[in-house]
């Protein structure tokens, strides 16, 4: 069996599954871990392996950055070559999430008639301008096992006519990792280390093209963050793409100079979790952070027009704000005055999802 990942959010999803496989030992049969190399900066990759206790990848494909076509093609070609060389032939390939590496590895495997399992199947934003939506649609269309994290995933797959025998509602593996690491995170107290009052600051992460690739929009966001920082301290760990755009649009100096706004490098998993758990509010365009804040009960404003994770809105603490900065400012008022909604528990986000994933995999593909 081959587990594959390539970008930062993949590693948090793989970690608990690999831990279950390790615990099972020989009973789980032979398996290996392949890193496509989509994310390559140590702060975007290696630190997650260290902090999440993931073993070093058995194979690193080193594909790096590029246009969507080029990056996808490089993973497709390199992963196919690896599969062709592999002896014995893998029982199956496991892909997670919705990044370019996910779709490319799935395509390479199915073309060689190797079964594919997709962890986090069925999520849909219904927005085909997002590269991740295309990756989700393609991956789910070809996968043999669709492992779903929230109820909307089952509905979406049913509507798309996917055979329901392939679909398994296992829960959210990302929450397994959170549950596993929360005590470590509370221990590091990243807020105090940054000079931030616990429970009294905002955490901001923005990296999606829809927010950071347009000069006007990014400028308005920087202005908004300046206003927010006038109300409470703000920490903004910037993805490499975001930092590059701030620089390109001549906004980096302005953003770095805002009083009480700490612009930082991307954080490790444990530091980020520590800040999330202690934040008064979180502003994001990430998928995973909508889920993590919902589980933690921390208010989250999502700066996107939609979400593929609707349970974070119906049950969790998430609100979809789009690009409406006035709406966002109003919600910040509500959060700071204690009038914002409270979340409630989400089914199967219980820290046991990876066990259910492995059970499905071994039932389908055999144990030894
Ligand atoms: C990818 C995923 C996105 C996920 C995000 C999390 C796709 C389509 N998108 O977006 O769903 O939320 O990862 O981080 O797969 N770069 C570096 N160092 C790195 C990685 C990237 O400097 O280690 C820079 C490069 O300039 C690169 C740009 O970031 O061109 C974008 O990286 P890429 O992997 O293509 O997509 P992300 O925007 O990170």
């Amino acid at each position: 069996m081959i587990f594959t990942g390539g970008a930062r959010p993949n590693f948090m999803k793989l970690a608990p599954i690999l831990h279950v496989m390790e615990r099972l030992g020989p009973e789980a049969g032979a398996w290996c871990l392949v890193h496509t190399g989509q994310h390559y900066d140590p702060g975007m990759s290696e630190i997650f392996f260290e902090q999440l206790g993931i073993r070093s990848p058995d194979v690193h494909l080193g594909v790096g950055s590029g246009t969507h076509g080029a990056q996808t093609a490089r993973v497709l070609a390199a992963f196919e070559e690896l599969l062709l060389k592999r002896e014995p032939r893998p029982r199956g390939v496991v892909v997670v999430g919705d990044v370019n590496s996910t779709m490319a590895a799935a395509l390479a495997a199915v073309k060689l008639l190797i079964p594919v399992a997709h962890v986090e199947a069925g999520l849909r934003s219904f927005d085909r301008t997002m590269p991740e939506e295309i990756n989700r649609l393609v991956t789910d269309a070809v996968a043999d096992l669709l492992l779903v994290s929230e109820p909307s995933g089952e509905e979406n797959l049913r509507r798309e006519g996917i055979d329901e025998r392939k679909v398994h509602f296992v829960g959210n593996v990302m929450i397994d990792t959170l549950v596993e690491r929360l005590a470590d995170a509370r221990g590091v107290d990243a807020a105090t280390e940054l000079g931030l009052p616990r429970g009294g600051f905002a955490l901001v992460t923005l990296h999606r093209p829809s927010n950071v690739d347009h000069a006007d929009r990014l400028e308005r966001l920087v202005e908004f963050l300046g206003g927010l920082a006038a109300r409470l301290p703000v920490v903004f760990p910037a993805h490499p793409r975001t930092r590059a755009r701030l620089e390109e649009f001549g906004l980096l100096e302005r953003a770095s100079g805002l009083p009480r706004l700490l612009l930082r490098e991307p954080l490790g998993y444990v530091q980020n979790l520590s800040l999330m758990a202690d934040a008064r509010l979180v502003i994001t365009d990430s998928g995973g952070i909508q889920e993590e804040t919902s589980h933690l009960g921390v208010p989250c404003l999502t700066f996107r027009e939609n979400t593929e994770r609707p349970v974070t809105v119906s049950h969790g603490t998430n609100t979809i704000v789009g690009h409406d900065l006035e709406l966002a400012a109003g919600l910040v008022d509500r959060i700071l005055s204690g009038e914002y909604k409270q979340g409630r528990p989400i089914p199967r986000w219980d820290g046991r999802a990876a066990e259910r994933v492995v059970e499905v995999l071994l039932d389908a593909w055999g144990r030894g």
Side-chain angles (χ1 to χ4, degrees):
M1 197 182 308
I2 298 183
F3 293 89
T4 179
R8 181 171 62 176
N10 290 166
F11 310 133
M12 289 83 112
K13 294 167 196 164
L14 283 170
I17 305 175
L18 301 182
H19 294 155
V20 174
M21 292 296 282
E22 274 161 3
R23 278 204 301 276
L24 285 174
E27 206 190 309
W31 59 276
C32 74
L33 174 62
V34 176
H35 188 324
T36 67
Q38 176 173 343
H39 283 175
Y40 43 85
D41 284 358
M44 297 291 286
S45 174
E46 275 157 42
I47 190 167
F48 294 88
F49 280 73
E50 286 160 31
Q51 294 195 343
L52 301 178
I54 309 176
R55 72 183 200 184
S56 293
D58 301 283
V59 183
H60 200 293
L61 300 177
V63 300
S65 296
T67 60
H68 285 274
Q71 189 176 58
T72 305
R74 282 206 292 270
V75 177
L76 188 53
F79 197 69
E80 180 185 62
E81 195 183 331
L82 170 117
L83 292 176
L84 285 169
K85 281 201 216 131
R86 204 92 197 154
E87 282 291 342
R89 191 181 155 79
R91 285 176 280 173
V93 167
V94 180
V95 298
V96 301
D98 57 13
V99 302
N100 289 338
S101 298
T102 308
M103 173 181 73
L107 277 178
V110 290
K111 291 261 178 157
L112 295 173
L113 309 183
I114 298 171
V116 170
H118 182 208
V119 176
E120 208 186 74
L123 297 183
R124 296 290 180 268
S125 65
F126 304 102
D127 173 2
R128 291 197 182 196
T129 65
M130 283 180 77
E132 293 81 4
E133 183 73 353
I134 307 298
N135 295 339
R136 292 181 200 115
L137 285 161
V138 173
T139 306
D140 286 344
V142 299
D144 301 274
L145 292 173
L146 296 115
L147 305 165
V148 170
S149 57
E150 65 161 78
S152 73
E154 284 187 304
E155 275 161 47
N156 294 331
L157 294 172
R158 194 174 314 122
R159 206 182 32 251
E160 288 170 21
I162 304 255
D163 182 346
E164 63 185 38
R165 284 169 300 185
K166 294 180 178 178
V167 180
H168 302 267
F169 177 29
V170 291
N172 192 332
V173 286
M174 192 109 163
I175 301 302
D176 291 16
T177 299
L178 186 157
V179 169
E180 240 174 69
R181 297 294 148 180
L182 191 57
D184 290 356
R186 298 235 184 253
V188 300
D189 189 4
T192 307
E193 210 155 276
L194 286 167
L196 297 164
R198 285 181 98 157
F201 63 92
L203 171 66
V204 176
T205 81
L206 297 166
H207 72 278
R208 295 216 175 261
S210 60
N211 281 317
V212 306
D213 282 5
H214 313 278
D216 290 359
R217 195 164 281 168
L218 192 55
E219 188 171 6
R220 280 201 301 277
L221 281 171
V222 169
E223 224 168 84
F224 174 84
L225 295 180
L228 183 67
R231 310 192 58 189
L232 78 173
V234 177
V235 56
F236 183 6
H239 183 288
R241 167 197 281 277
T242 308
R243 187 172 287 272
R245 295 295 178 268
L246 284 169
E247 197 152 17
E248 188 185 330
F249 303 145
L251 294 166
L252 189 58
E253 235 172 87
R254 194 157 132 206
S256 333
L258 288 170
R260 297 213 298 179
L261 186 136
L262 308 176
L263 189 66
R264 289 286 183 274
E265 293 300 313
L267 296 168
Y269 181 81
V270 174
Q271 284 75 16
N272 190 58
L273 177 56
S274 166
L275 287 179
M276 245 184 324
D278 280 341
R280 187 83 178 84
L281 70 114
V282 172
I283 287 177
T284 195
D285 57 12
S286 144
I289 290 178
Q290 297 171 49
E291 299 181 330
E292 290 165 334
T293 48
S294 282
H295 187 80
L296 292 167
V298 173
C300 177
L301 305 181
T302 297
F303 281 29
R304 282 176 44 187
E305 297 292 348
N306 47 55
T307 182
E308 59 288 332
R309 294 158 159 93
V311 81
T312 61
V313 176
S314 62
H315 288 55
T317 50
N318 188 22
T319 303
I320 303 301
V321 167
H323 301 296
D324 187 342
L325 297 177
E326 260 177 52
L327 172 64
L331 287 163
V332 169
D333 288 341
R334 290 175 67 89
I335 293 167
L336 296 183
S337 62
E339 290 161 49
Y340 188 74
K341 67 176 173 180
Q342 313 256 321
R344 56 194 161 105
I346 300 176
R348 298 198 198 170
W349 288 24
D350 57 358
R352 315 288 300 265
E355 290 170 21
R356 294 189 280 267
V357 168
V358 169
E359 210 173 288
V360 173
L361 296 177
L362 297 183
D363 280 352
W365 297 343
R367 282 165 199 271

